[in-house]
Amino acid sequence: MFLNDCKEDHGYFAIGVQQSFEVGVNAPVDFKALDEFIAIKDAWKFGFISYDLKNDVEALNSNNQDGLTFPKIHFFIPQNLLLYKDGEFSLIYGEEKYLEEVKLFSKELHLGSQKLKLNPRITQVEYLKSVKRLQNEIRLGNIYEINFCYEFYKENTSINPIALYNRLVPYTKAPFSAIGKFKDRYIISASPERFIKKEGAKVVSQPIKGTIGRGETKEEDLELKKQLKENPKERSENIMIVDLVRNDLSQIGRFDSVKVEELCEVYSFESVHQMISTVSCQLEERVRFSDVLKATFPMGSMTGAPKVRAMELIEDEEKTKRGVYSGAVGYIKPNGDFDFNVVIRSFLYHSTQQYLSAMVGGAITAKSDPIKEYEETLVKINPLLKAISQ
């Protein structure tokens, strides 16, 4: 697994498995066993959490089409760990031979011999009908925001996942990029969003809500950024999720410690501007890793609010099981600090089944224009389609 902060130019290579913790796609999660694994002393842990953990946090289910069948949870303690920083590799622990091997990592660019074009799981007409049905749920007062997603996919395809990752990153330069191999399944992520980070007693979550494309000129780009910053619909989307995150963190944070450090700040990425807020708290003593997950997962930016009803409607309207998409990938340090992204702007690949998937979506509110929401999904998926079609 390689986790890379493209903005700060550093990351971690985790290679080989000393010990692992895994929960199958349909198996129940033993949270006590998870906490015991996370508490193993003097060990780094890397891995992912699928969106379907929601079924263990709440009384929910996932029955949609699934061509990937990722585990619900997978964490491992690596045999070898390398640090990538400022263009250089160094060994944290393990075998020195990997220092030379990982230098070849970024040079792999040959994707494969096939011409690749992903197919949308639903048509534009079907997308618009779903959005209108969800807006009716908003008018009825059942929800006030929901994240609706759909899949682009290709069957019977053989690719080089490392080459695809290396093609994708220049189009995004995303701060929470990652590539991971788990048996015959791959996560190829160019995520711009942090789910949750712990440093000491402080926990930070940074939900993204609000997107606009980049301009072709500096003047146009600045104008688009200004439009996003001042757009009342986009701001209301973001603020609604900030309120949800504040509520989530209040379940694990010390009394009166939940703070909104940034509200609706606009950050610029390679292909889009995004509106991001930063919410933090100071953890209560004796809060376990599973307590953090139960309070905050899945992240509000990928569900909507209220969370449970939004997730029920997501299951009804979406055609694809999300699996790792809108879950999280990250690491836990030996001292218990951790950092996890939100799995968006990502490819998921099952090499045995030769199934390639990329999902995309966005927040739907009462003020959403269904056509504009559909166009926004195309802006978000465009870097992925470019990476795979070149």
Side-chain angles (χ1 to χ4, degrees), residues 153-165:
Y153 72 102
K154 186 169 179 61
E155 298 173 306
N156 302 315
T157 187
S158 179
I159 64 161
N160 180 335
I162 295 174
L164 181 54
Y165 174 80

Side-chain angles (χ1 to χ4, degrees), residues 162-179:
I162 295 174
L164 181 54
Y165 174 80
N166 287 333
R167 287 175 175 221
L168 178 60
V169 167
Y171 284 116
T172 60
K173 296 184 180 176
F176 304 107
S177 298
I179 178 169

Side-chain angles (χ1 to χ4, degrees), residues 56-78:
D56 296 86
V57 175
E58 304 289 349
L60 298 167
N61 57 68
S62 302
N63 297 311
N64 287 325
Q65 186 275 341
D66 184 6
L68 296 159
T69 60
F70 273 89
K72 195 179 291 182
I73 295 178
H74 180 95
F75 281 107
F76 69 100
I77 299 170

Side-chain angles (χ1 to χ4, degrees), residues 31 34 49 53 57 73 195 289-297:
F31 285 105
L34 172 62
I49 306 159
L53 181 68
V57 175
I73 295 178
F195 163 41
F289 184 69
S290 67
D291 296 327
V292 176
L293 291 184
K294 289 174 184 178
T296 64
F297 192 89

